[in-house]
Amino acid sequence: MEKVRLGIVGLGAQGGLYAGFLADGKVENMVIGAICDIDPAKKEWAAEKYPDVPFYEDYRDMLDSGDVDAVVTCVPHYLHPEIGVEALKREIHALVEKPAGVYTKQVRELNDYAAKKPHLTFGIVFNQRTNPLYQKVKEIIDNGEVGQIRRTNWMITTWWRPQGYYDSSAWRATWGEEGGGVLVNQAPHQLDLLQWICGMPEKVYSNVKYGYQRNIAVEDEVTALLDYGNGATGVFITCTHDVIGTDRFEILGDKGKIVVDDSKKVTIKRLLKPESELSDSMSMQDVMKIFMGGNQSDIYTEEVLEFESEWGAQHIAVLENFTAAIVEGTPLLAPGSDGIHGVTLANAIHLSSWLDKEIEIAFDEELYLAELNKRIDEEKTAPVTF
Amino acid sequence: MEKVRLGIVGLGAQGGLYAGFLADGKVENMVIGAICDIDPAKKEWAAEKYPDVPFYEDYRDMLDSGDVDAVVTCVPHYLHPEIGVEALKREIHALVEKPAGVYTKQVRELNDYAAKKPHLTFGIVFNQRTNPLYQKVKEIIDNGEVGQIRRTNWMITTWWRPQGYYDSSAWRATWGEEGGGVLVNQAPHQLDLLQWICGMPEKVYSNVKYGYQRNIAVEDEVTALLDYGNGATGVFITCTHDVIGTDRFEILGDKGKIVVDDSKKVTIKRLLKPESELSDSMSMQDVMKIFMGGNQSDIYTEEVLEFESEWGAQHIAVLENFTAAIVEGTPLLAPGSDGIHGVTLANAIHLSSWLDKEIEIAFDEELYLAELNKRIDEEKTAPVTF
């Protein structure tokens, strides 16, 4: 294979972005193979902008055409697993957009199918994993530099959305067509980073507000309490109504602390001895000396790292990593099968608020789907399973 | 009355501090009337240090002596309500140390009794209420400068305690003699400030770890999720095992945001228009202009205030305010009856973790006491109600 020919399913904002990157030659070893969209306006636009690129109205026709070696799914969340499976069936590599799907049952079906085709590349667009800042934080945790995690805490409210945003398309912020609110649209990257860096919790309890500050059916305000099962706890907070957003991620370990501010600045405090050793060896007089006397450098060192944010570069990096995986077998930074973790977290957070109790992370997938379908029925739209 | 003569019940660290302030003439219109302690070593020490001050071994004898016009209760938490009632019974003003008690039932009895004696001054040592920083934050909230509260979030883990602290006295960190851990010993000031500034929640859910990082029966790790009943939510996190403590208090209102860092720095962001108006009037294009173009000063102003911390001054201010209330009828900054709120929060947080469910703030006080007594029985000590 000389160049990987990518089929872009859905020529909306995201699909258009990828088309632009490829047309401009920004992704090594990848070109546009074909474009697919059900919208006639998009067809017209594509004919003008990319006259030499084959266009399809049905993604199955595109998959059968021989024009593409791989696809990316820039369509509503519910459709990602189905398109992923149909591509893999035809020996076509699949890159799914986040979230991998709306409910874990459909994502698990995709993962199970992909597991039968290990020779194909199956990736997910978790572009934030290409961010050097979060790679560094993960490295520090993985190296044990701040020890075993005791607490995680992420407040991420930097995606303000006015009512006009929700009113701009009928499918937005609906159970039937989008499948949720901030948890499925804005927060999937952070839900993924949280579990990528800190692991999955065992239990989740949540307080979720549906249509709290916006006239929508789905959630615009989330507070989730995580229990990792080994004593460690966590809090995840997100919303779309904070116009002065906060982005603060703190991880407490038994050998130090990491604080990430605004996804730009990382403050790492490394204890010279593990906290338990300090506890066992210090008297209250020693403590007073350090805290009242004020020389805390006796117990830890501090490192501050600043990172530049490069949003477009992240998506190019994802496409390049996906291409390299196909062409050279380079490991994927975000294997497609990882997509289920963030969906599991989002589903568990919904389910806890719906049932008003703490939820095991290994919750009953059928129960989640049944509860989701209840909300879809209330919206008087078609049921979830097509 | 020329000078208020204060009876100090308990000559430990706190009682000794008050005695020193009064002996040094630091509190206007207040002098030491008498000192009381059951410990013979304290009696000896008092005889040396304050030879002219009457000393009692039984606080009732002190109350009956005619030597004191007011008392302060520097004794284990369980005893505060009893001593408060006994003082008020004898027409003696009462200043109770925090927390007002261990369980709400005993604090309610104190409050009910005090309500029958409105001519007496009944205060509580919430010295943090004298901190100009928190007074300013309360003023901003009370004035509606950041609008109606949508979210509160306080992580306060700046009180590291080594195992040696807990091992220093047999009563420490026991259910029977201290009545709890970080919630009853370290966090009462913040529990009070949180409710003083932001009001009481209607429901509480918690994840509390007992003896998580220390060899103790009581809690050393707390995450509580608050629901204010009007859509607003909150999170309160505290622990005693974070040697690099975090103190970060954020309040999101519908007209702005306040962030307090380290109880020293207050950042106030005031929206030029209420968030709901911005939501109703802005298109997604407008949003992109502000957030991508980067001129957020179009939507809010920012003010940063820095405060010095003066720990000793706070306690002197409490004693002076209490004295002025007795002598001149000056309103109390912290009326004694306010003490029940923090105890209610602490009890609700315990109870939620014990019953593993969300708790109404108007929980059954007898149920709390029964659950507390279970834990005391497990410790094989005497029951709570003497």
Side-chain angles (χ1 to χ4, degrees):
Chain A
M1 191 185 301
E2 284 196 353
K3 297 257 186 185
V4 175
R5 298 166 304 156
L6 184 71
I8 297 171
V9 190
L11 196 60
Q14 204 60 24
L17 188 77
Y18 296 149
F21 288 153
L22 295 180
D24 294 347
K26 288 190 176 167
V27 181
E28 203 179 351
N29 289 330
M30 182 174 260
V31 294
I32 315 182
I35 293 172
C36 169
D37 205 300
I38 54 170
D39 180 356
K42 295 285 165 59
K43 184 177 182 175
E44 248 176 73
W45 188 74
E48 232 172 79
K49 183 102 180 171
Y50 305 111
D52 301 330
V53 174
F55 190 94
Y56 296 89
E57 279 155 42
D58 187 316
Y59 78 86
R60 287 179 186 83
D61 293 340
M62 183 179 82
L63 294 175
D64 291 332
S65 69
D67 288 335
V68 302
D69 308 306
V71 289
V72 62
T73 63
C74 310
V75 291
H77 318 316
Y78 276 114
L79 299 171
H80 299 166
E82 176 193 304
I83 297 175
V85 168
E86 292 300 316
L88 296 169
K89 261 188 201 168
R90 292 164 175 83
E91 297 294 308
I92 289 170
H93 307 284
L95 179 62
V96 294
E97 262 293 341
K98 61 85 200 169
V102 169
Y103 52 97
T104 53
K105 190 187 170 195
Q106 65 168 182
V107 179
R108 195 172 303 280
E109 285 164 3
L110 169 60
N111 282 1
D112 288 349
Y113 192 83
K116 293 182 200 159
K117 301 266 190 172
H119 56 288
L120 294 177
T121 298
F122 168 42
I124 183 161
V125 186
F126 280 143
N127 50 285
Q128 295 268 3
R129 288 198 188 184
T130 72
N131 185 335
L133 184 155
Y134 290 110
Q135 290 184 345
K136 179 69 184 174
V137 173
K138 179 170 168 60
E139 181 191 310
I140 292 167
I141 296 292
D142 288 351
N143 288 348
E145 292 175 53
V146 296
Q148 184 163 347
I149 294 172
R150 291 184 180 176
R151 190 187 307 109
T152 67
N153 193 281
W154 203 337
M155 186 191 288
I156 172 77
T157 65
T158 50
W159 26 59
W160 186 67
R161 296 291 181 272
Q163 186 63 42
Y165 163 80
Y166 293 110
D167 295 345
S168 66
S169 310
W171 61 272
R172 272 208 196 283
T174 60
W175 290 114
E177 297 191 71
E178 186 155 20
V182 64
L183 287 170
V184 305
N185 193 312
Q186 286 78 30
H189 289 298
Q190 281 70 27
L191 290 174
D192 176 61
L193 290 175
L194 183 60
Q195 72 81 24
W196 188 51
I197 295 167
C198 303
M200 285 290 276
E202 286 196 356
K203 293 181 195 170
V204 173
Y205 178 88
S206 74
N207 187 322
V208 179
K209 306 289 180 190
Y210 300 90
Y212 170 43
Q213 293 294 334
R214 296 294 181 269
N215 185 25
I216 53 177
V218 297
E219 77 282 358
D220 56 351
E221 166 76 34
V222 172
T223 307
L225 208 163
L226 316 175
D227 191 314
Y228 289 88
N230 60 356
T233 53
V235 168
F236 185 79
I237 293 172
T238 191
C239 75
T240 57
H241 60 80
D242 180 359
V243 70
I244 311 163
T246 293
D247 179 3
R248 188 179 185 281
F249 181 23
E250 174 168 330
I251 306 170
L252 174 66
D254 59 14
K255 287 169 65 183
K257 181 179 278 189
I258 301 172
V259 177
V260 184
D261 287 298
D262 300 315
S263 294
K264 279 183 192 158
K265 183 176 133 189
V266 184
T267 306
I268 309 140
K269 294 179 180 176
R270 294 174 177 89
L271 289 173
L272 303 183
K273 287 180 191 175
E275 192 275 332
S276 59
E277 272 184 44
L278 291 172
S279 171
D280 289 344
S281 64
M282 284 175 75
S283 72
M284 207 56 205
Q285 273 92 342
D286 298 331
V287 176
M288 296 298 272
K289 260 183 235 161
I290 289 175
F291 290 90
M292 297 302 197
N295 194 2
Q296 293 196 34
S297 66
D298 289 350
I299 55 168
Y300 68 81
T301 62
E302 179 171 320
E303 183 182 9
V304 178
L305 303 172
E306 304 263 0
F307 293 81
E308 286 302 314
S309 138
E310 295 170 277
W311 186 79
Q314 291 182 3
H315 287 90
I316 293 171
V318 168
L319 292 176
E320 286 191 335
N321 176 240
F322 180 66
T323 307
I326 295 170
V327 177
E328 301 161 37
T330 307
L332 283 171
L333 200 54
S337 55
D338 279 13
I340 200 162
H341 302 307
V343 178
T344 301
L345 284 171
N347 286 186
I349 293 170
H350 275 150
L351 197 57
S352 170
S353 77
W354 292 340
L355 305 184
D356 198 16
K357 62 177 190 181
E358 192 175 45
I359 295 291
E360 300 274 339
I361 205 72
F363 56 84
D364 178 350
E365 293 184 350
E366 295 291 348
L367 175 63
Y368 179 80
L369 185 52
E371 288 288 331
L372 175 61
N373 277 325
K374 269 194 215 169
R375 280 145 190 94
I376 293 171
D377 286 345
E378 281 166 20
E379 278 183 343
K380 304 201 193 309
T381 63
V384 172
T385 32
F386 317 95
Chain B
M1 188 184 305
E2 285 197 351
K3 297 260 186 184
V4 174
R5 297 166 305 157
L6 184 70
I8 297 171
V9 188
L11 195 60
Q14 204 61 26
L17 188 77
Y18 296 150
F21 288 153
L22 296 179
D24 294 348
K26 288 190 174 167
V27 182
E28 204 179 352
N29 288 330
M30 181 174 262
V31 294
I32 314 183
I35 292 172
C36 169
D37 206 299
I38 54 169
D39 181 355
K42 295 287 164 60
K43 184 178 182 178
E44 248 176 73
W45 188 75
E48 234 173 77
K49 184 103 180 174
Y50 306 111
D52 302 330
V53 174
F55 190 93
Y56 296 88
E57 279 154 42
D58 186 316
Y59 79 87
R60 287 180 186 82
D61 292 340
M62 184 179 81
L63 295 175
D64 291 331
S65 68
D67 289 335
V68 303
D69 308 306
V71 289
V72 61
T73 64
C74 308
V75 290
H77 318 315
Y78 276 113
L79 298 171
H80 299 166
E82 175 194 304
I83 298 175
V85 168
E86 292 299 318
L88 297 168
K89 260 189 200 167
R90 292 165 174 85
E91 296 294 310
I92 289 170
H93 307 283
L95 179 62
V96 294
E97 261 295 340
K98 61 86 198 166
V102 168
Y103 52 97
T104 53
K105 190 187 171 197
Q106 64 167 184
V107 179
R108 196 172 302 281
E109 285 164 5
L110 168 60
N111 282 1
D112 289 350
Y113 192 82
K116 294 181 200 158
K117 302 267 190 173
H119 56 289
L120 295 176
T121 298
F122 167 41
I124 183 162
V125 185
F126 280 144
N127 50 284
Q128 295 269 1
R129 289 197 187 183
T130 72
N131 184 336
L133 184 154
Y134 291 109
Q135 290 183 345
K136 179 69 184 174
V137 173
K138 180 170 168 59
E139 182 191 310
I140 292 167
I141 295 292
D142 288 351
N143 287 348
E145 291 175 53
V146 296
Q148 184 162 344
I149 293 173
R150 291 183 181 177
R151 189 185 308 111
T152 67
N153 193 281
W154 203 337
M155 187 191 289
I156 172 76
T157 65
T158 50
W159 27 57
W160 186 68
R161 296 291 181 271
Q163 185 64 40
Y165 163 80
Y166 293 110
D167 295 343
S168 66
S169 311
W171 62 271
R172 271 210 196 284
T174 60
W175 291 114
E177 297 191 71
E178 187 155 19
V182 63
L183 288 169
V184 304
N185 192 313
Q186 286 78 31
H189 290 298
Q190 281 69 29
L191 290 174
D192 176 62
L193 290 174
L194 183 61
Q195 72 81 24
W196 187 52
I197 295 168
C198 303
M200 284 290 277
E202 287 195 356
K203 292 180 195 170
V204 173
Y205 178 87
S206 74
N207 186 321
V208 179
K209 306 290 179 189
Y210 300 91
Y212 170 43
Q213 293 294 334
R214 296 295 181 268
N215 185 25
I216 53 176
V218 297
E219 77 282 0
D220 55 351
E221 166 75 34
V222 172
T223 306
L225 213 163
L226 315 175
D227 191 312
Y228 290 88
N230 60 354
T233 53
V235 168
F236 185 79
I237 293 172
T238 191
C239 76
T240 56
H241 60 80
D242 181 0
V243 68
I244 311 163
T246 293
D247 178 3
R248 187 177 185 282
F249 181 23
E250 173 167 331
I251 306 169
L252 174 67
D254 60 14
K255 287 169 65 183
K257 180 179 279 189
I258 302 173
V259 177
V260 183
D261 287 298
D262 300 315
S263 293
K264 280 184 192 156
K265 183 176 135 190
V266 184
T267 306
I268 309 141
K269 295 180 179 177
R270 294 175 176 87
L271 289 173
L272 303 182
K273 288 181 191 175
E275 192 277 332
S276 59
E277 273 185 41
L278 290 172
S279 171
D280 288 345
S281 65
M282 285 174 74
S283 71
M284 206 56 204
Q285 273 92 342
D286 298 331
V287 176
M288 296 297 272
K289 260 183 236 162
I290 288 175
F291 290 89
M292 299 301 198
N295 195 2
Q296 294 195 35
S297 66
D298 290 350
I299 55 169
Y300 67 83
T301 62
E302 179 171 320
E303 182 182 10
V304 178
L305 303 172
E306 304 262 1
F307 292 81
E308 286 302 313
S309 139
E310 294 170 278
W311 188 80
Q314 291 183 3
H315 287 89
I316 293 171
V318 168
L319 292 176
E320 286 190 334
N321 176 241
F322 179 66
T323 307
I326 295 170
V327 177
E328 302 161 37
T330 307
L332 282 171
L333 199 55
S337 56
D338 279 13
I340 200 162
H341 302 308
V343 178
T344 300
L345 284 170
N347 287 185
I349 293 171
H350 274 151
L351 197 57
S352 170
S353 77
W354 293 340
L355 305 183
D356 199 16
K357 63 176 189 182
E358 192 175 45
I359 296 291
E360 299 273 339
I361 205 71
F363 57 83
D364 178 351
E365 294 184 348
E366 295 290 350
L367 176 63
Y368 179 80
L369 185 52
E371 289 288 331
L372 175 60
N373 278 326
K374 267 194 218 169
R375 278 144 191 96
I376 292 170
D377 287 345
E378 282 167 20
E379 279 184 341
K380 305 200 191 310
T381 63
V384 173
T385 31
F386 318 96

